[in-house]
Amino acid sequence: MTLDISSAPIASDTTDHAPPGPDSRVRWAQDLSASLVVFLIAVPFSLGIALATGAPLTAGLVAAAVGGIVVGLFGGTPLQVSGPSAALTVITAGLVAQYGWQATCAVTVAAGLLQLLLGVRRVARTALAVSPAIVHGMLAGVGLTIAIAQLHVVLGGSPQSSAIANLLALPGQLAGPHPPALLVGTVTAATLLGWPRLGRLPGRAGEFGARLAKVPGPLVAVAVATALALALDLRLAHIQLPPWQPHSLVPALPHGPLTGVLAAVLTVTAVASVESLLSAVAVDRMSRRTGDLDRELRGQGLANTVSGLVGGLPIAGGAVRSTANVRAGGQTKWASVLHGAWVLAAALALTGGLRRIPLAALAALVLVVGLQMVSFAHIRKVHRHREFPVYLTTVLGVVGLGVLWGVGLGAGTAVLLALYRLTRAHVDVEAGLDGSVTVQTHGPLTFTAAPQLSRALASIPADAEVTVVHDGSFLDHAAYETLHNWRAGHQAAGGRVSMVTRRPEGEVLDPDGTVRAGSSPGPHRCRAWTPWVGHHCIEQQEDPHGRLLDGVRVFQQHTAPLIRPELARLAREGQTPSQLFLTCADSRMVTSMITNSGPGDLFTVRNVGNLVPAPFEPGAADDSVAAAVQYAVEALEVRSITVCGHSGCGAMKALLDGVHERPGPPTPLARWLRNGRGSLDRLRRAPAEFADRPVVDLAEQLCITNVVQQLDQLLANPAVERRVEEGTLRLVGMYFDFATAQAYVLDRAAGTFSPVEARTEVRPDGVSAERVGQDGRVPAEGSGEDPQLAA
């Protein structure tokens, strides 16, 4: 789904909080448009969730209406849209099967009251302490459970009471499917998956497809399946919408052990709260606003209380609906409130039309949503952070034992993994040429490391001069005794032992606690440019010139001796970079840091907006960039040119604001920004996208679209065009997101930006490290050593 700017006024965000929006009339129009988009997504989705839980189908519509109106009015995240939650589907289905529907409503009311209490106690931030691996594992497990159950409905059968039972019954169901139900379900799933890809068709078909893709996919999929069933007069089960009679849906107390009821209430509260808060944080990040999480939790609690009282499903903030709201241009809470009003109107007025929807179509819709909850991007992230065991345990626990047990097993695995890492230490013994021995310890030395430490120390010759260097991590009594008992014995045998502690800053402490001379990294703790990692230091040096000179002094003292031989070689031989790196002049873009490059690696060109002026364009051409490109391509013979954009680019925001088109004599900045007019045109025709996530806003979409446009404008340079045709020059598009420190690379074939994944390997000493080259350093991204940057 792309953002349409063909008819809407272009605006830009200038703050990290609520952006200065348009006037109230335009804001109301945008809210109204966004509410209709979310409404069209919410109706089929709510019906599908109700079907999957075994609750009355009207309960899904009631929950969507209550979630939109109540949370919209009283929540703390204005652009979040709440309603029936896929993550709560398995829990609600279990409650309905065990206690009945009216008792499930009572559990929803109790969970809402508990959420209200937690919101009043201001504990919303505590819920965010749950490991992301557990949250993603829970969502994946719930998604798989939903998908397995709804597959039975798509095949024309009925789901069983548990995921294990559904898996055991699946072979028999596959052996004898119901052809009409399978046809309708297949058409629904194919339409739902293929609809967003219409905009990727070539030529004019892609432009027409992009316009069609703005209609919500779930609505189109259900409509197509319903039309197919009616046209072919298929004999299928359809949804049953009983009349909504609130007096018959009064909550009833559950019958059963009190502990089971309390566990059910706590489970609904925990899952609904965590999902809502995580979704709220994501929505705030997308809309560049700062919400009130405690108020949001209170709004969710009030909505669940009301929903349970009037016969609705449990409610939580939804990522699907909220993302659609932000991308459709929602500005205030009224987009959510209006969406709830439209759902309520549909529930009351469109009953006859909704009854024509086949159950297989809704089941296929929920099946696809369930499978999409298993995100490979999340799996890669948890694997990169070495938390895949937590994720896998949670998934298997949710599928096999239920949400509560699955989350508990995941939490237990996370605790055990954390304890394992806390007690994991490395002891390295290095022998010097003069017979001395250095013992380096890494990590906390606890009683679990005492045997390893004792074996390492026992291998040292009795008369050796030994230096024991501890990295300053935790040292418990058992390890302390092991170390000092060995020291006493070694000294008694005629050896010498020096024991020092090396701080993370690089200082070495002698046993008396003083800093060893020459080991301090600088004249003071807050060194020249440390404000970028420690903002408290900036007040100590208010003079920018003084800070610059301090930085030069630190360079001369510590860095210059290390790189002097390499710089001397470059001075003798001249520069031979393999890369031309063209990026923005933004002070936050540290090219050597994000590419891990050093002197002589990159020939760098920086300007406002990383623009490449198109030749022969009147009033906007600039020879400085073209000269640098020509020199790099013809004189330096670089093998690759990378155009790198970044998030929050001021030049892109200025383009959206129309700075280059303002009346009057153009300023130098306005003349320069005219070089970006092609990027604005491309944004309207074929905006660039990310492969693994939606764009945050229009400014970010212009940032990545600008990279694609500048690569095309590079090809207008004859020298570049000739080298590319010869196959001796490669063009690479990159984008760097400051907030997540994540780099993305353009896939020219797919037209999308994909994240650059970290790579790890195990060194011979067993320490997992970044991919290390023969020279002992990590090859630079974009240096020609990493095939992932191929365009």
Side-chain angles (χ1 to χ4, degrees):
M1 183 175 181
T2 59
L3 295 167
D4 180 22
I5 65 167
S6 58
S7 59
I10 297 177
S12 65
D13 295 343
T14 57
T15 72
D16 291 332
H17 302 285
D23 59 46
S24 59
R25 186 175 302 175
V26 176
R27 191 160 53 238
W28 269 102
Q30 291 178 329
D31 283 338
L32 177 62
S33 174
S35 70
L36 291 172
V37 171
V38 180
F39 157 71
L40 294 176
I41 294 174
V43 169
F45 188 74
S46 301
L47 292 172
I49 295 296
L51 171 68
T53 62
L57 295 185
T58 50
L61 298 177
V62 169
V66 172
I69 296 173
V70 176
V71 180
L73 290 174
F74 300 101
T77 307
L79 298 186
Q80 173 154 267
V81 182
S82 300
S85 165
L88 289 166
T89 301
V90 177
I91 301 171
T92 309
L95 293 176
V96 173
Q98 183 175 359
Y99 297 113
W101 172 239
Q102 289 181 305
T104 301
C105 291
V107 171
T108 303
V109 172
L113 294 174
L114 184 54
Q115 283 182 305
L116 277 171
L117 177 62
L118 294 175
V120 171
R121 299 295 298 174
R122 297 185 176 275
V123 298
R125 292 281 175 185
T126 307
L128 301 181
V130 180
S131 169
I134 296 176
V135 175
H136 297 319
M138 180 196 72
L139 294 176
V142 168
L144 289 174
T145 304
I146 293 172
I148 295 169
Q150 296 310 301
L151 182 58
H152 284 272
V153 182
V154 172
L155 294 171
S158 300
Q160 305 298 315
S161 58
S162 67
I164 300 299
N166 281 319
L167 283 172
L168 294 176
L170 192 57
Q173 190 70 63
L174 289 170
H178 182 55
L182 181 59
L183 174 63
V184 169
T186 303
V187 169
T188 304
T191 305
L192 188 64
L193 295 174
W195 193 253
R197 292 174 170 80
L198 292 178
R200 300 181 185 178
L201 296 174
R204 293 186 177 180
E207 297 180 8
F208 180 70
R211 296 191 186 97
L212 285 179
K214 295 169 187 174
V215 181
L219 178 69
V220 175
V222 173
V224 169
T226 304
L228 177 66
L230 292 174
L232 299 180
D233 194 20
L234 300 177
R235 294 184 177 181
L236 292 168
H238 292 78
I239 69 173
Q240 300 296 323
L241 288 176
W244 183 35
Q245 298 175 346
H247 65 274
S248 65
L249 298 175
V250 175
L253 293 178
H255 296 286
L258 181 60
T259 54
V261 176
L262 290 177
V265 172
L266 292 175
T267 302
V268 173
T269 303
V271 175
S273 300
V274 170
E275 184 184 12
S276 299
L277 295 173
L278 291 176
S279 176
V281 172
V283 171
D284 282 341
R285 187 176 297 125
M286 289 179 61
S287 58
R288 299 183 184 274
R289 305 189 183 195
T290 302
D292 185 338
L293 293 183
D294 291 302
R295 181 178 175 182
E296 179 66 21
L297 186 56
R298 293 194 296 270
Q300 296 289 339
L302 182 60
N304 271 310
T305 303
V306 174
S307 181
L309 289 174
V310 298
L313 290 172
I315 289 171
V320 175
R321 293 179 294 264
S322 302
T323 301
N325 186 31
V326 173
R327 298 179 71 177
Q331 296 293 316
T332 69
K333 63 183 180 181
W334 293 107
S336 174
V337 175
L338 288 173
H339 131 271
W342 305 143
V343 173
L344 183 60
L348 297 175
L350 302 178
T351 304
L354 295 177
R355 286 197 177 102
R356 297 178 180 271
I357 300 175
L359 288 180
L362 291 180
L365 169 65
V366 179
L367 185 150
V368 172
V369 171
L371 291 178
Q372 289 174 342
M373 293 171 69
V374 185
S375 170
F376 289 100
H378 291 157
I379 293 176
R380 287 194 297 268
K381 286 182 180 179
V382 298
H383 186 270
R384 187 165 65 242
H385 291 284
R386 299 182 298 166
E387 291 190 339
F388 185 74
V390 178
Y391 177 90
L392 183 61
T393 302
T394 306
V395 172
L396 296 178
V398 169
V399 173
L401 301 173
V403 173
L404 186 61
W405 278 101
V407 171
L409 289 174
T413 305
V415 171
L416 292 176
L417 189 61
L419 290 175
Y420 169 73
R421 290 171 178 169
L422 286 174
T423 57
R424 189 180 181 188
H426 295 281
V427 181
D428 299 325
V429 179
E430 301 174 358
L433 297 178
D434 57 353
S436 62
V437 177
T438 301
V439 180
Q440 295 268 4
T441 66
H442 309 278
L445 294 180
T446 64
F447 64 93
T448 60
Q452 179 187 5
L453 180 62
S454 179
R455 285 194 299 270
L457 296 175
S459 66
I460 300 174
D463 58 346
E465 181 177 347
V466 184
T467 301
V468 179
V469 182
H470 182 43
D471 65 359
S473 299
F474 179 72
L475 181 71
D476 77 351
H477 185 71
Y480 175 85
E481 289 289 343
T482 300
L483 193 58
H484 282 267
N485 288 340
W486 168 84
R487 179 188 184 187
H490 190 78
Q491 289 177 335
R496 297 180 58 188
V497 179
S498 299
M499 303 184 72
V500 297
T501 301
R502 185 180 300 277
R503 289 179 174 175
E505 294 90 348
E507 299 173 347
V508 176
L509 301 186
D510 286 317
D512 61 357
T514 59
V515 178
R516 176 173 295 185
S519 70
S520 176
H524 43 74
R525 186 64 53 87
C526 292
R527 295 187 297 164
W529 292 105
T530 53
W532 74 278
V533 292
H535 295 281
H536 62 282
C537 301
I538 201 166
E539 296 178 357
Q540 299 184 16
Q541 290 183 310
E542 297 180 355
D543 178 18
H545 179 64
R547 194 187 314 160
L548 180 68
L549 290 181
D550 279 347
V552 175
R553 293 188 186 99
V554 173
F555 165 80
Q556 293 296 153
Q557 180 179 356
H558 299 284
T559 309
L562 300 176
I563 66 171
R564 188 172 286 120
E566 177 65 12
L567 290 180
R569 183 190 66 81
L570 291 173
R572 292 192 306 270
E573 301 175 2
Q575 62 169 331
T576 56
S578 61
Q579 308 277 326
L580 167 59
F581 198 83
L582 197 154
T583 189
C584 187
D586 193 296
S587 62
R588 298 167 295 180
M589 276 294 293
V590 185
T591 57
S592 59
M593 179 177 67
I594 68 172
T595 61
N596 199 31
S597 56
D601 290 338
L602 301 180
F603 184 74
T604 305
V605 176
R606 303 180 67 144
N607 61 52
V608 176
N610 46 273
L611 300 176
V612 181
F616 315 119
E617 184 171 352
D622 180 277
D623 287 338
S624 63
V625 177
V629 171
Q630 181 181 357
Y631 180 72
V633 171
E634 296 183 348
L636 300 178
E637 297 183 345
V638 297
R639 299 189 298 274
S640 175
I641 300 178
T642 299
V643 177
C644 183
H646 65 87
S647 60
C649 181
M652 299 301 104
K653 294 179 180 179
L655 278 173
L656 290 174
D657 285 338
V659 170
H660 59 297
E661 301 291 354
R662 289 178 180 173
T667 64
L669 178 61
R671 284 196 300 271
W672 172 253
L673 289 177
R674 289 175 180 174
N675 296 300
R677 288 180 293 193
S679 300
L680 284 175
D681 292 339
R682 181 182 287 267
L683 182 64
R684 295 185 176 92
R685 290 184 289 102
E689 299 281 356
F690 290 104
D692 66 331
R693 67 172 178 87
V695 294
V696 171
D697 55 17
L698 193 60
E700 183 176 63
Q701 192 151 48
L702 179 57
C703 288
I704 58 176
T705 303
N706 178 60
V707 171
V708 181
Q709 178 65 24
Q710 300 314 309
L711 290 175
D712 286 351
Q713 292 181 188
L714 263 176
L715 282 173
N717 187 303
V720 174
E721 184 181 19
R722 182 180 66 255
R723 288 278 307 278
V724 170
E725 290 178 352
E726 294 172 354
T728 58
L729 181 65
R730 185 174 63 189
L731 302 185
V732 179
M734 283 185 62
Y735 174 79
F736 187 76
D737 182 55
F738 290 127
T740 60
Q742 177 65 58
Y744 296 82
V745 177
L746 173 65
D747 183 342
R748 298 295 293 275
T752 57
F753 284 79
S754 301
V756 178
E757 302 291 348
R759 299 179 181 177
T760 58
E761 67 177 16
V762 179
R763 292 179 177 177
D765 59 2
V767 179
S768 178
E770 293 284 346
R771 184 168 51 95
V772 179
Q774 295 180 351
D775 58 354
R777 68 177 181 87
V778 182
E781 302 290 356
S783 64
E785 304 171 52
D786 193 342
Q788 187 173 0
L789 293 184

